[in-house]
Amino acid sequence: MTSLGTFDYIIIGGGTAGCVLANRLSTDPDIRVLLLEAGGKDNYIWVKIPVGYLYCMGNPRTDWGFSTEAEQGLNGRSLNYPRGRILGGCSAINGMIYMRGQARDYDQWRQFGNIGWGWDDVLPYFKKSEDYFSGADSMHGAGGEWRVEEQRLSWDVLEKFRAACMSAGIPSTDDFNRGSNEGVGYFKVNQKKGWRWSAATGFLTPIKSRKNLTVMTNAHVHALAMDGKHVTGVTFEAGKTIMTAQAAHEVVLSAGAIGTPHILQLSGIGPGNLLSENGVEVRHQLAGVGGNLQDHLQIRTIFKTQGVTSLNSFANTLIGKARIALEYALFRSGPMSMAPSQLGAFVKSDKAMETPDLQYHVQPLSLGKFGEPLHPFPAFTASVCNLRPESRGVVELSSPDPLAKPRIAPHYLSAERDKLVAANSIRLTRHIIAQEPIRSHIIEEFLPGAQFQSDDELAEQAGNISTTIFHPVGTAKMGHDPLAVVDSRLAVHGLKGIRIADASIMPTITSGNTNSPTVMIAEKAADFILEDRRTNT
């Protein structure tokens, strides 16, 4: 076993949060930082081109290749569960949508007893990182590392859907990130001039020459090193060599909502019965590790069209593909610059709701699933997800072998209310489609099919056509109840020398895409760490 030596801080996971932390903690040249990433460098061309997510999900070079257990709520289906395995993590393979969520989300966190996590508390951290395309104002920042731009595209079918939403009473908006995201409009994206802007690009690349920062890729963490209740370092595998590193101050676990609980469990930190059943010595009983898994399940309704162009119309021809490639080469625009979803809407499934509980991701294309060819007929997809699901799942180790994949069981649609919201969301989509701006262009409801009408039928069909939208959170939640894993400063309950900073700490899922909230969490974590350092030295 080879020792890499001692660092002030060891960051486990070079994904979104890890890149932010590496940047902030290494600003002081006297602080020695080690960043460990299980994947490789972010020098793969499809990480740079926005449409490259199609070639990164399911690719072992960039994706962990996880899948869920067979889900009862999905009628026995198992879903592929992409998670970034590369510098930049999920920000290198995701949909690039810049979304904060609702002020209500964070105010609720504060109401749970997590002081310092209300909307007014977190907004300055969103602004701190941001480099907003139109400059700074009361809600946006400029000059930060996290570039936000408008999309470089135009699709008539999206404009028709947008107009139909407004005809259905959904207001137009040009900014989903001002505390209330109600309305219909185009998503802003983490791109710069038609290129993907990942956390590695923004936070890590500009500082990679800092002498006090060591970045190791292809470093797969086996377990945390512990002295009683004090986390002192980490054991990891680099190539075929087992290595150790020691932390003089803290280990910061930023391996994501799947990786973080898995590493804790492999280290003997978690539910005692689960650990014992898998042959892992219980070092610290913590019942909530791996529980509270929440995710956004998108219902992919598809409509065949006429009289409007969709990407299906020309993406399957050689001439069409050549046109797409040429447009991107010349102008960095068109389908190759597209985020997976371009038009969004936030609406209420029930008028009695305080804030929107549904999110639409609308695309001028249709396909069976990611990675498959587009359908051979003109169509578009209006995916809709329940922003605040009541269903809760688990992430559990399946073996004491650190290279074995964990068991992921989201338990989608296991809550009765989630089934009702699913049925109502399909009805709402049909109501939008019935509005004249788009109605005359609809030939057929391809999925789920107009013949399904009752609550039970629509809930069953939702189980047939839904997929994850890749937002797992909550598996090491912040709080003070018996299932909480970290406190409001992100320190693990009952342990010293360890903090968690990633989407796993969310008590409840945010009302929208979760990548930028993860940036914010890492920003706050860095401040906590540096504040404690100043206090203790």
Side-chain angles (χ1 to χ4, degrees):
M1 192 174 293
T2 303
S3 174
L4 199 61
T6 301
F7 300 82
D8 291 300
Y9 300 99
I10 299 173
I11 304 165
I12 298 176
T16 299
C19 288
V20 176
L21 287 160
N23 182 301
R24 300 302 188 228
L25 297 182
S26 66
T27 299
D28 183 341
D30 292 331
I31 296 177
R32 298 157 299 166
V33 178
L34 172 64
L35 176 65
L36 298 175
E37 166 54 39
K41 297 179 179 179
D42 64 328
N43 54 3
Y44 185 41
I45 185 59
W46 289 117
V47 167
K48 310 300 181 181
I49 298 173
V51 79
Y53 67 89
L54 291 172
Y55 307 99
C56 291
M57 292 183 180
N59 182 343
R61 179 171 179 172
T62 51
D63 180 8
W64 280 95
F66 295 137
S67 60
T68 71
E69 299 293 297
E71 288 281 298
Q72 182 177 349
L74 302 185
N75 303 319
R77 291 187 301 132
S78 172
L79 300 181
N80 293 333
Y81 216 68
R83 296 283 86 199
R85 189 175 186 268
I86 187 172
L87 285 176
C90 290
S91 74
I93 69 170
N94 71 358
M96 296 162 283
I97 293 172
Y98 179 74
M99 188 65 60
R100 296 171 176 173
Q102 299 171 3
R104 173 194 181 279
D105 301 330
Y106 304 100
D107 289 342
Q108 187 180 53
W109 291 6
R110 182 173 57 195
Q111 290 166 9
F112 291 154
N114 297 303
I115 304 303
W117 288 92
W119 173 249
D120 292 340
D121 301 306
V122 303
L123 179 58
Y125 287 95
F126 280 114
K127 293 170 65 178
K128 177 181 179 180
S129 297
E130 194 176 16
D131 186 19
Y132 199 62
F133 72 99
S134 64
D137 62 19
S138 62
M139 287 289 170
H140 289 287
E145 295 84 357
W146 200 222
R147 181 64 180 172
V148 182
E149 292 189 354
E150 294 182 300
Q151 297 188 65
R152 304 156 73 91
L153 56 88
S154 176
W155 289 92
D156 188 43
V157 68
L158 296 181
E159 277 300 299
K160 297 291 186 184
F161 189 90
R162 181 171 176 267
C165 285
M166 290 187 284
S167 293
I170 302 168
S172 176
T173 183
D174 62 358
D175 190 352
F176 289 123
N177 290 294
R178 305 183 78 85
S180 171
N181 51 17
E182 187 167 10
V184 58
Y186 288 93
F187 293 122
K188 304 299 189 296
V189 290
N190 294 118
Q191 293 183 8
K192 188 169 186 178
K193 297 180 179 179
W195 297 98
R196 176 189 288 273
W197 194 260
S198 73
T201 304
F203 291 92
L204 197 59
T205 298
I207 63 157
K208 60 184 178 182
S209 62
R210 288 180 181 172
K211 294 182 180 179
N212 61 323
L213 173 63
T214 301
V215 179
M216 287 194 66
T217 54
N218 300 304
H220 190 120
V221 169
H222 284 196
L224 303 171
M226 299 175 65
D227 180 5
K229 299 294 183 178
H230 187 183
V231 175
T232 58
V234 61
T235 301
F236 62 98
E237 183 175 340
K240 295 185 178 180
T241 302
I242 304 300
M243 304 189 72
T244 63
Q246 289 72 49
H249 290 281
E250 288 186 20
V251 173
V252 188
L253 195 46
S254 299
I258 306 303
T260 284
H262 191 215
I263 290 170
L264 288 171
Q265 292 169 4
L266 288 168
S267 306
I269 303 167
N273 289 343
L274 172 69
L275 304 184
S276 298
E277 289 168 3
N278 283 276
V280 175
E281 178 188 356
V282 180
R283 308 290 298 277
H284 183 61
Q285 166 77 22
L286 207 52
V289 172
N292 193 49
L293 174 62
Q294 299 159 62
D295 190 13
H296 288 144
L297 183 72
Q298 62 173 345
I299 303 171
R300 299 178 62 250
T301 61
I302 295 175
F303 299 87
K304 291 185 177 181
T305 60
Q306 61 183 0
V308 287
T309 301
S310 77
L311 187 56
N312 295 21
S313 304
F314 56 90
N316 289 325
T317 69
L318 289 176
I319 293 175
K321 289 177 180 177
R323 172 185 161 187
I324 290 169
L326 184 62
E327 183 176 1
Y328 186 76
L330 294 177
F331 307 110
R332 294 289 180 265
S333 62
M336 289 186 69
S337 73
M338 283 169 43
S341 301
Q342 300 81 45
L343 183 73
F346 289 83
V347 298
K348 299 174 182 177
S349 65
D350 185 321
K351 292 181 180 179
M353 300 294 295
E354 176 189 356
T355 61
D357 64 327
L358 298 179
Q359 179 182 6
Y360 280 90
H361 292 79
V362 190
Q363 307 112 25
L365 55 86
S366 68
L367 70 169
K369 61 181 179 180
F370 284 118
E372 291 186 356
L374 301 184
H375 289 138
F377 47 79
F380 74 96
T381 304
S383 295
V384 58
C385 69
N386 178 358
L387 290 170
R388 295 190 283 275
E390 294 183 359
S391 301
R392 296 291 185 268
V394 294
V395 174
E396 299 176 338
L397 81 167
S398 59
S399 162
D401 179 1
L403 301 182
K405 294 178 180 178
R407 174 179 174 269
I408 303 170
H411 297 163
Y412 294 120
L413 299 176
S414 58
E416 288 302 314
R417 176 166 175 76
D418 291 354
K419 295 177 184 178
L420 178 60
V421 172
N424 287 339
S425 67
I426 295 173
R427 292 193 181 100
L428 178 59
T429 306
R430 289 171 173 172
H431 176 63
I432 294 169
I433 293 300
Q435 307 305 308
E436 186 43 54
I438 200 168
R439 181 177 61 194
S440 59
H441 296 286
I442 302 300
I443 296 175
E444 176 191 355
E445 180 184 306
F446 181 67
L447 289 176
Q451 68 271 29
F452 303 110
Q453 293 291 330
S454 71
D455 286 352
D456 288 344
E457 288 175 331
L458 292 177
E460 182 179 10
Q461 290 307 308
N464 288 334
I465 65 175
S466 296
T467 63
T468 174
I469 206 162
F470 320 124
H471 296 165
V473 306
T475 50
K477 76 169 185 174
M478 174 173 57
H480 305 280
D481 61 275
L483 294 180
V485 176
V486 298
D487 64 21
S488 57
R489 292 181 68 82
L490 307 185
V492 176
H493 288 300
L495 294 177
K496 294 181 179 180
I498 182 168
R499 224 176 286 246
I500 298 175
D502 56 32
S504 69
I505 67 95
M506 293 187 186
T508 52
I509 194 166
T510 53
S511 300
N513 309 75
T514 54
N515 193 231
S516 289
T518 301
V519 172
M520 177 275 294
I521 289 167
E523 288 278 26
K524 281 185 68 69
D527 268 10
F528 293 149
I529 292 166
L530 294 174
E531 287 169 4
D532 287 355
R533 178 183 177 86
R534 288 190 292 269
T535 300
N536 296 326
T537 56

